[in-house]
Amino acid sequence: MLLRARPMIFAVFSASIVVVFVSEPPSFDRTYVIALLFYWLFSSLYSHLRVIDKTKNNIPVDYGINYSLSFALFAGPFGLFIFEALFRLTEHIAKKYLKTAEPDEWLHTLYNIGSFVTFNSLAFALYNLLGPLFQSIPFIGFWLLLFLLVIVVSFLTDCCLIIIFYITGDIQTQREALDFIKTRSWMDMGKTALTNGLLFLFLQEQRWDMLLSLFLLNYFVSRSFFSKSQSIQHKLERDHFEKMAYTDFLTGIHNRAYMDQTIAKLNGSGEWIGVVVADIDNFKTINDTYNHAVGDEVIRHFASTLKQFLKEGDFLFRSGGEEFTMFLRNRTFEESVRLVEEIREAVRHSTVLVDYMAAKRPIAYTSSFGLYFCQAEGTMSIEKAYIYADHLLLRSKESGKNKVSAQCGGVA
């Protein structure tokens, strides 16, 4: 996909080459070499711990801490280019070796080198230009300037990415572009400014012990955060698959598998439960008269109607084709009967507006119910109560449909 944006990527990379050629080379002394090795080592170690955000139109964007700003302030654009080239090529080779590289990984590498060198070189120029002005601000002048530089680099990076994603089709509207920029975290930018500021101060004073401590601290914190984010992601995935396993795809309510699981929990609880089995009258006629798509609309409408009458603690399941089961809790037998009658009346007086033969058509239908009320204790299991409720539903059908048949049982 990035192949479409090759001219833009080459332009950014070329801009970095121009910046390097017009800048002064660093003094390749012992201090520079030690700093380069520190940054290369910890940037390479840190790269696999970065959390990639793919929520923006499925665009992978890395918002982890980047050390390029402090190295640019210390070594200038030329010195930064050497670091970025060394680090990005190491990252590229590692991805190739681990077989995690994208098909156009070389374009990612060129873009990363070009963009980080170009934008952080601009930050280097701004630092030298605005430094005297911010030095006049007591205590916080240096940190305000670092935060400003991070904002500038972040904004330019986002703008460049928006152009590339517009070319590739991942961003298509102005609203998507604005949303892309808005999701940049102020906390992350503050963290980046603080980290790079401290690193720059330690580099100036050649405090290698403090530099190492900060790199190690950031590494351990990032590793902990990465592990937690992975754990949360795995839990979300498990919850998603569990929801899929226990949800009826047509109606969005619980399915028969979840019903069996709920029965196992409620058995022997000792509470009084109204087990209701309900289905749609003459459903086969609806399917035969219209089609299965219309039948599905009627089933969804029936499920929605049932759900409207239930309160917290109750359960609703799709236990068959057009059959639904409810577990009514924290009610008396009389309250349960009254509720089911209200549901039956609501269904009888409602209509479903469906698409049929290129037109909207209202469909009226009725439903029948079987209610068995019992205490889940002793030998009276919910499974047995369900069988009794199903027999009561059959009685409603045989006596003319659109009826409620109810029975109050007890502890067997």
Side-chain angles (χ1 to χ4, degrees):
M1 206 63 165
L2 272 181
L3 293 175
R4 298 181 191 171
R6 274 186 300 185
M8 177 69 181
I9 294 172
F10 285 142
V12 173
F13 183 76
S14 299
S16 70
I17 298 296
V18 172
V19 169
V20 168
F21 272 107
V22 300
S23 63
E24 294 183 8
S27 55
F28 295 103
D29 55 9
R30 179 174 174 272
T31 301
Y32 176 81
V33 173
I34 293 174
L36 178 64
L37 290 175
F38 264 116
Y39 272 71
W40 169 68
L41 174 62
F42 281 97
S43 294
S44 300
L45 286 174
Y46 179 64
S47 63
H48 78 281
L49 298 178
R50 293 177 180 273
V51 177
I52 302 298
D53 177 13
K54 291 191 177 182
T55 60
K56 304 179 183 126
N57 299 63
N58 204 32
I59 299 170
V61 180
D62 181 357
Y63 284 129
I65 295 177
N66 183 274
Y67 303 133
S68 298
L69 176 60
S70 57
F71 203 83
L73 298 181
F74 165 72
F78 198 118
L80 174 64
F81 182 85
I82 295 172
F83 160 66
E84 285 292 344
L86 180 63
F87 165 48
R88 300 298 172 179
L89 288 173
T90 301
E91 194 175 41
H92 180 91
I93 293 169
K95 287 182 178 180
K96 287 289 187 180
Y97 177 76
L98 297 172
K99 295 182 172 31
T100 58
E102 300 287 337
D104 46 11
E105 188 65 37
W106 64 281
L107 285 174
H108 287 272
T109 302
L110 283 183
Y111 172 76
N112 285 329
I113 295 173
S115 62
F116 281 104
V117 170
T118 302
F119 299 140
N120 284 290
S121 294
L122 175 62
F124 171 78
L126 288 174
Y127 178 81
N128 291 309
L129 178 67
L130 302 176
L133 176 64
F134 278 84
Q135 281 179 358
S136 62
I137 304 175
F139 306 114
I140 61 171
F142 172 76
W143 298 109
L144 287 176
L145 178 55
L146 261 290
F147 189 63
L148 174 63
L149 296 179
V150 170
I151 292 174
V152 170
V153 171
S154 299
F155 177 74
L156 292 174
T157 301
D158 282 354
C159 289
C160 190
L161 286 171
I162 287 170
I163 294 172
I164 291 176
F165 293 143
Y166 178 78
I167 294 171
T168 61
D170 292 307
I171 286 180
Q172 299 179 350
T173 65
Q174 183 178 359
R175 178 62 180 272
E176 289 176 347
L178 290 174
D179 289 342
F180 184 89
I181 294 175
K182 287 179 182 178
T183 50
R184 173 74 71 169
S185 169
W186 289 98
M187 292 294 292
D188 283 343
M189 287 191 287
K191 186 169 58 177
T192 299
L194 180 62
T195 301
N196 279 274
L198 288 172
L199 287 172
F200 179 50
L201 293 176
F202 295 152
L203 282 171
Q204 285 183 315
E205 299 176 7
Q206 298 186 32
R207 291 295 307 273
W208 306 117
D209 55 338
M210 298 302 293
L211 192 78
L212 176 62
S213 299
L214 184 57
F215 273 131
L216 287 173
L217 175 63
N218 187 43
Y219 177 78
F220 290 134
V221 170
S222 299
R223 188 170 188 84
S224 174
F225 177 73
F226 180 79
S227 298
K228 288 179 181 178
S229 67
Q230 290 291 96
S231 177
I232 292 171
Q233 182 63 32
H234 292 157
K235 183 180 183 304
L236 290 174
E237 289 174 358
R238 288 195 302 271
D239 291 345
H240 175 68
F241 285 122
E242 183 175 328
K243 183 178 179 182
M244 289 178 61
Y246 293 128
T247 302
D248 173 56
F249 73 95
L250 179 63
T251 61
I253 65 172
H254 296 310
N255 60 14
R256 184 61 182 259
Y258 193 80
M259 175 177 158
D260 294 338
Q261 187 181 83
T262 305
I263 287 174
K265 291 179 181 179
L266 293 177
N267 272 335
S269 63
E271 67 173 293
W272 288 87
I273 299 174
V275 179
V276 181
V277 181
D279 79 355
I280 300 168
D281 294 329
N282 304 312
F283 183 72
K284 186 177 184 302
T285 303
I286 295 174
N287 269 341
D288 292 343
T289 304
Y290 300 96
N291 53 46
H292 288 284
V294 171
D296 288 346
E297 285 297 322
V298 174
I299 289 175
R300 276 192 286 264
H301 180 270
F302 187 45
S304 177
T305 303
L306 295 174
K307 191 175 181 179
Q308 290 174 12
F309 284 86
L310 302 184
K311 61 183 181 181
E312 187 177 357
D314 295 331
F315 289 99
L316 172 63
F317 315 94
R318 186 182 179 194
S319 48
E322 70 274 18
E323 180 188 281
F324 292 82
T325 299
M326 295 179 286
F327 294 164
L328 307 181
R329 305 168 71 193
N330 304 311
R331 292 179 177 83
T332 64
F333 173 66
E334 291 75 16
E335 288 171 339
S336 298
V337 173
R338 193 158 49 245
L339 175 66
V340 177
E341 283 288 358
E342 289 177 6
I343 296 174
R344 183 190 62 79
E345 281 293 306
V347 172
R348 186 171 72 89
H349 289 101
S350 66
T351 57
V352 190
L353 198 62
V354 301
D355 292 313
Y356 181 71
M357 302 290 287
K360 293 284 187 180
R361 298 199 180 189
I363 295 178
Y365 67 98
T366 60
S367 54
S368 298
F369 300 81
L371 163 63
Y372 188 79
F373 192 82
C374 66
Q375 188 177 18
E377 190 172 285
T379 59
M380 177 50 68
S381 65
I382 304 296
E383 291 93 341
K384 188 181 292 186
Y386 171 77
I387 294 172
Y388 292 160
D390 197 43
H391 289 162
L392 290 167
L393 170 64
L394 183 60
R395 183 188 301 176
S396 296
K397 294 284 190 181
E398 292 173 344
S399 60
K401 302 177 182 177
N402 188 31
K403 295 182 180 297
V404 176
S405 299
Q407 180 181 337
C408 182
V411 182

